[in-house]
Amino acid sequence: MIAGLFLLPAEIARADESGISFWIPGFFGSLAAVPSQAPGWSMTSMYYHDQVSAGADVARAREFQIRNIPANLTATVNANVNATVDLGLLAGTYTFETPVLGGQASASLMGVYGSNSTSLAGSVTGTLATPGGAIPFSRFDTIDSSLMAFGDLLPMFQMKWNAGVNNYMTYVTGDIPVGAYQSNRLANLGLGHWAIDAGGGYTYFDPKTGHEASAVLGFTYNFINPATQVQSGVDMHLDWGASQFLTKQIQVGLVGYVYQQLGCDSGSGDRVGCFRSRVVGVGPQFGYIVPLGDKLQGYFNVKAYGEFANENRPAGWNLWLTFNLSPAATPPTSSRPMFTK
């Protein structure tokens, strides 16, 4: 039974400070608003690979963030940043049996462990202000930073409603900054500050034809980073997916996202300015429902995104492999025959 398929989108969030955001676009995808088939515990595991690069604007912001450029230096940076991230993510979700406001409620917590390798290479030129006057400054930076560690914790609460082929959802999530983070390190797996994100979505899904289309719109409020005294602006993100079930088990389609920072960065430690970031991504997806008997249902999904139209943010490509294990739907029992139209 496809209609009640539950997908927990488990992805690590990446602050617009230096072009990195709490929300990684692609967090939600196809079937995002469809309620679970059955209440109880479910588990989602995911492998995430991300390979991105950025030019001078992001490189300059990263140099400021890690305090590699003195405050009294007016600098021009001609450099590139490259990063490769490999993560394992695990999320546990409990779906409540008792309806809340006529909908299905669920709560989850996700943990992250993985590696981040980031490099920066290029020249820094400018004028250094000293008591004796301005002094020309020039150097070539080569920075390689890598680590393997735990990331932040990500709690989430969701509400979902079903009305025939129409499905609706709302959610609230956030970042608990307990992961590996140092403000003067180029590569991190923690965000360094608290964040809260909320939004809503819609899924059209017709089990008879196998047609499906989903979209989720959300907004992120970032709290100030106490280590850098920078507060990232409010972010907007739209994640979407469209797919066709070729059979009751096989799904193919497209996924995509639009990400735009709406508010400017601010705070006493901000040396870059407004620095609004943007990126767009699109790519294919494939899903397969794994038969696991009467009590459990498995779901495997692979999706990949190619990014473009980026501004003040790294861009490249990313790959997601997800496996979800959840209770299967239990047919209702009755002492009388059941008839359906």
Side-chain angles (χ1 to χ4, degrees):
M1 180 180 179
I2 302 173
L5 177 63
F6 171 65
L7 282 176
L8 173 66
E11 295 170 314
I12 182 60
R14 318 191 245 187
D16 292 310
E17 183 182 2
S18 301
I20 305 173
S21 63
F22 160 74
W23 189 270
I24 290 190
F27 193 100
F28 288 110
S30 286
L31 300 167
V34 177
S36 305
Q37 281 194 345
W41 286 100
S42 63
M43 190 69 67
T44 299
S45 60
M46 174 171 285
Y47 165 73
Y48 166 66
H49 176 83
D50 186 34
Q51 190 137 6
V52 294
S53 60
D57 289 343
V58 172
R60 179 174 177 267
R62 296 302 297 271
E63 292 256 31
F64 279 129
Q65 181 183 10
I66 64 176
R67 300 182 178 90
N68 204 40
I69 296 179
N72 59 343
L73 175 66
T74 303
T76 299
V77 178
N78 184 15
N80 293 301
V81 176
N82 296 281
T84 300
V85 178
D86 289 284
L87 300 175
L89 307 100
L90 186 64
T93 299
Y94 184 77
T95 301
F96 298 92
E97 183 175 4
T98 303
V100 178
L101 300 177
Q104 184 186 75
S106 66
S108 63
L109 181 65
M110 185 180 70
V112 183
Y113 184 82
S115 65
N116 180 357
S117 297
T118 303
S119 63
L120 184 152
S123 61
V124 180
T125 59
T127 302
L128 187 65
T130 69
I135 301 175
F137 177 92
S138 178
R139 73 172 186 229
F140 190 89
D141 284 349
T142 301
I143 305 171
D144 290 300
S145 179
S146 62
L147 81 162
M148 182 173 288
F150 286 99
D152 294 345
L153 289 175
L154 307 168
M156 174 178 281
F157 180 79
Q158 296 185 83
M159 289 284 298
K160 297 183 178 182
W161 297 266
N162 171 257
V165 297
N166 300 304
N167 301 270
Y168 308 89
M169 64 88 74
T170 185
Y171 76 92
V172 60
T173 184
D175 185 87
I176 302 176
V178 296
Y181 174 81
Q182 293 180 12
S183 61
N184 60 351
R185 184 171 58 200
L186 194 60
N188 285 293
L189 286 175
L191 192 59
H193 65 78
W194 295 78
I196 187 168
D197 187 284
Y202 169 79
T203 293
Y204 172 87
F205 180 55
D206 187 345
K208 295 179 180 179
T209 63
H211 300 333
E212 181 274 335
S214 300
V216 179
L217 177 67
F219 299 87
T220 305
Y221 178 84
N222 298 286
F223 293 85
I224 195 165
N225 186 330
T228 63
Q229 291 301 305
V230 174
Q231 183 173 16
S232 299
V234 173
D235 304 321
M236 180 206 74
H237 45 84
L238 175 67
D239 300 333
W240 61 267
S243 64
Q244 174 68 44
F245 279 87
L246 305 179
T247 69
K248 288 189 175 182
Q249 290 179 265
I250 299 176
Q251 170 197 24
V252 296
L254 292 174
V255 288
Y257 49 72
V258 178
Y259 174 90
Q260 176 67 61
Q261 181 181 354
L262 301 177
C264 292
D265 292 352
S266 61
S268 61
D270 179 25
R271 298 177 56 197
V272 180
C274 189
F275 209 69
R276 291 193 181 109
S277 58
R278 180 188 67 225
V279 72
V280 179
V282 67
Q285 69 164 324
F286 172 81
Y288 180 69
I289 299 175
V290 185
L292 295 173
D294 296 333
K295 294 185 178 181
L296 292 175
Q297 174 177 278
Y299 177 77
F300 173 78
N301 178 272
V302 56
K303 58 183 179 180
Y305 297 89
E307 295 183 320
F308 57 96
N310 63 304
E311 182 178 348
N312 295 330
R313 182 183 177 99
W317 65 276
N318 52 75
L319 172 72
W320 307 93
L321 301 176
T322 304
F323 181 73
N324 174 262
L325 184 65
S326 61
T330 303
T333 58
S334 174
S335 59
R336 296 180 296 175
M338 295 182 63
F339 299 94
T340 58
K341 294 183 179 180

